[in-house]
């Protein structure tokens, strides 16, 4: 429950333009929500105060206990996690926050040109050889977004805030020193509709829930700029995978509307095997948005055995099958390594 408070850089107050109640805020915060009536004010410049007409919230449905339950259920699933992790996870802290996001509804269209490296066989008979050549290629693609921009300066102040962005890595398996992970167990965020399910902002379900409203700092215009830049970056990265070399990539982003949406989140910190890990649960949808988790012993054994066992089996079959006994015995040795690893892992009882 420990809420980390930064060194207070000058606390200020302003009276709510709707109900008159004092709103406390810190220097630099410019999108303020009244904890009394729920109306939101945007400070745009020194004396210009704008009340935001349309701001909404994803109504929280999970309280603190249900969020912990959700996290434990999630930790109990999946073949990479240690068995029984859901029950064994040692609850360290739970923090509930209602976080301000600018959701930038937009359409992005990209056209790209590039070159593909190809090979062909030329000549005939003795002159026959393979040569390399470049072939021009091009294409276009487009996508609709409800792009989330965290409405504060420091995206890193709480863990997991940027993971809502489509394409961001959001699952982090901890393989420790085990190197044969093959990138398994991680995942990227989908391009989900972040405006779905929102309701006009009110404090229903927030007052006395343990969820703390976080004020925004970034105004709408800047959020739109950020969204445009991030979408262009993400389309550049996508285009890069379409040809050996991209020579030209042009993305047009049309912003169709921007809304301030408050997302309630529970951040749960748990301990396991001497380390701390985090799970972020969306209090409105009940989904696990992002998580870190230890990888269990069984998953490591399976990966190790698959690698060495299959490699060894293939070598052994190929070697003995063709009379190359040295190769065959090397294959047998690899299989033996796999078996030995399994036995040592099981006997040592290390997690
Ligand atoms: Zn008010």
């Amino acid at each position: 429950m420990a809420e980390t408070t930064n060194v207070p850089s000058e606390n200020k107050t302003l009276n709510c333009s709707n109900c008159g109640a004092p709103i406390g805020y810190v220097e630099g915060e410019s999108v303020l929500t009244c904890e009394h009536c729920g109306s939101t004010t945007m400070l745009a410049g020194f004396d210009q105060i704008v009340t935001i007409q349309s701001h909404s919230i994803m109504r929280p449905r999970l309280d603190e206990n249900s969020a912990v339950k959700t996290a434990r259920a999630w930790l109990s699933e999946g073949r990479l996690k240690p068995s029984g992790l859901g029950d064994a996870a040692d609850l360290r802290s739970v923090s509930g926050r209602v976080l301000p996001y600018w959701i930038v509804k937009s359409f992005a269209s990209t056209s790209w040109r590039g070159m593909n490296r190809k090979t062909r066989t030329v000549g005939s008979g003795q002159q026959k050889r393979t040569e390399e050549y470049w072939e021009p290629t091009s294409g276009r693609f487009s996508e609709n977004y409800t792009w989330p921009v965290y409405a504060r300066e420091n995206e890193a102040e709480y863990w997991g805030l940027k993971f809502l962005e489509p394409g961001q890595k959001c699952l982090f398996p901890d393989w420790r020193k085990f190197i044969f992970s093959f990138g398994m167990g991680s995942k990227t965020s989908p391009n989900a509709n972040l405006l779905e399910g929102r309701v006009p902002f009110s404090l229903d379900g927030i007052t006395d829930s343990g969820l703390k409203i976080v004020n925004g700092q970034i105004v709408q215009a800047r959020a739109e700029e950020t969204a445009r830049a991030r979408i262009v970056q993400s389309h550049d990265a996508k285009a890069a995978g379409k040809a050996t070399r991209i020579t030209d990539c042009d993305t047009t982003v049309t912003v169709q509307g921007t809304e301030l949406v408050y997302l309630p989140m529970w951040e749960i910190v748990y301990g396991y095997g001497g380390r701390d890990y985090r799970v972020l649960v969306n209090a409105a949808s009940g989904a696990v948005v992002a998580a870190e988790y230890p990888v269990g012993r069984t998953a490591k054994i399976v990966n190790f055995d698959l690698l060495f066992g299959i490699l060894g089996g293939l070598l052994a079959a190929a070697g003995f099958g063709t009379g190359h006994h040295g190769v065959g015995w090397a294959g047998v040795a690899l299989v033996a390594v796999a078996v030995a690893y399994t036995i040592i892992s099981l006997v040592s009882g290390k997690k």
Side-chain angles (χ1 to χ4, degrees):
M1 300 303 290
E3 195 69 46
T4 43
T5 32
N6 297 323
V7 183
S9 53
E10 205 171 349
N11 289 298
K12 299 190 161 199
T13 35
L14 172 105
N15 288 331
C16 173
S17 55
N18 185 46
C19 73
I23 306 174
Y25 67 102
V26 182
E27 181 82 60
E29 294 182 338
S30 52
V31 183
L32 313 177
T33 295
C34 173
E35 300 231 12
H36 188 69
C37 74
S39 71
T40 291
T41 298
M42 185 160 72
L43 301 178
F46 288 106
D47 42 15
Q48 196 192 351
I49 294 171
V50 189
T51 300
I52 295 179
Q53 295 305 331
S54 125
H55 66 299
S56 40
I57 185 166
M58 298 294 176
R59 173 94 55 245
R61 290 185 303 140
L62 295 192
D63 63 9
E64 185 173 332
N65 286 335
S66 337
V68 171
K69 248 184 235 165
T70 301
R72 286 198 188 278
W74 186 84
L75 291 173
S76 305
E77 289 166 4
R79 70 160 200 91
L80 292 185
K81 296 173 194 123
S83 69
L85 176 62
D87 295 321
D90 186 13
L91 191 62
R92 296 256 197 271
S93 69
V94 183
S95 314
R97 305 181 187 104
V98 183
L99 302 163
Y101 278 89
W102 288 106
I103 305 291
V104 183
K105 196 164 183 273
S106 47
F107 174 77
S109 165
T110 297
S111 74
W112 57 269
R113 288 171 190 288
M115 304 289 269
N116 275 328
R117 196 199 336 255
K118 302 229 160 178
T119 51
R120 64 187 159 201
T121 310
V122 291
S124 57
Q126 295 283 10
Q127 312 300 317
K128 207 165 159 180
R129 61 191 172 83
T130 309
E131 70 167 21
E132 202 175 81
Y133 68 104
W134 291 87
E135 191 180 73
T137 173
S138 65
R140 32 175 77 243
F141 59 90
S142 60
E143 198 145 359
N144 285 297
Y145 294 104
T146 48
W147 197 272
V149 177
Y150 184 51
R152 286 171 68 85
E153 298 289 350
N154 182 9
E155 217 178 28
E157 66 185 334
Y158 305 122
W159 182 76
L161 299 182
K162 63 171 190 273
F163 305 149
L164 278 182
E165 216 179 68
Q168 285 284 347
K169 208 172 155 194
C170 61
L171 284 189
F172 303 89
D174 178 12
W175 290 83
R176 302 217 173 189
K177 286 176 181 158
F178 189 80
I179 57 169
F180 305 109
S181 69
F182 312 118
M184 277 162 61
S186 57
K187 209 183 94 180
T188 53
S189 290
N191 178 18
N193 182 0
L194 294 174
L195 289 174
E196 205 173 271
R198 73 197 186 285
V199 294
F201 189 93
S202 80
L203 296 170
D204 292 355
I206 293 179
T207 315
D208 301 327
S209 65
L211 288 160
K212 188 182 170 299
I213 295 178
V214 177
N215 283 325
Q217 297 170 317
I218 290 176
V219 294
Q220 180 171 344
R222 232 188 89 199
E224 288 175 4
E225 248 171 68
T226 304
R228 279 177 192 280
R230 296 291 297 133
I231 291 171
V232 169
Q233 267 177 27
S234 119
H235 277 219
D236 282 351
K238 195 171 166 187
K242 296 198 180 279
T244 317
R245 196 164 68 201
I246 294 292
T247 50
D248 195 31
C249 183
D250 185 47
T251 299
T252 312
V253 180
T254 312
V255 172
Q256 295 156 329
T258 302
E259 286 185 43
L260 185 64
V261 178
Y262 281 83
L263 286 177
M265 299 271 198
W266 291 103
E267 183 190 326
I268 293 154
V269 181
Y270 68 96
Y272 184 83
R275 280 189 192 182
D276 282 0
Y277 302 94
R278 294 165 287 197
V279 178
L280 199 62
V281 178
N282 181 329
S285 70
V288 169
V289 175
E292 298 168 326
Y293 64 91
V295 172
R297 192 176 60 192
T298 315
K300 291 177 187 169
I301 293 175
V302 168
N303 267 25
F304 193 95
D305 285 3
L306 280 178
L307 179 67
F308 284 84
I310 291 177
L311 213 63
L314 286 174
L315 272 183
F320 293 124
T322 55
H324 296 88
H325 290 266
V327 176
W329 284 113
V332 171
L334 283 182
V335 175
V337 167
V339 172
Y341 179 80
T342 308
I343 293 170
I344 291 168
S345 297
L346 290 175
V347 169
S348 75
K350 264 206 328 213
K351 279 172 179 168

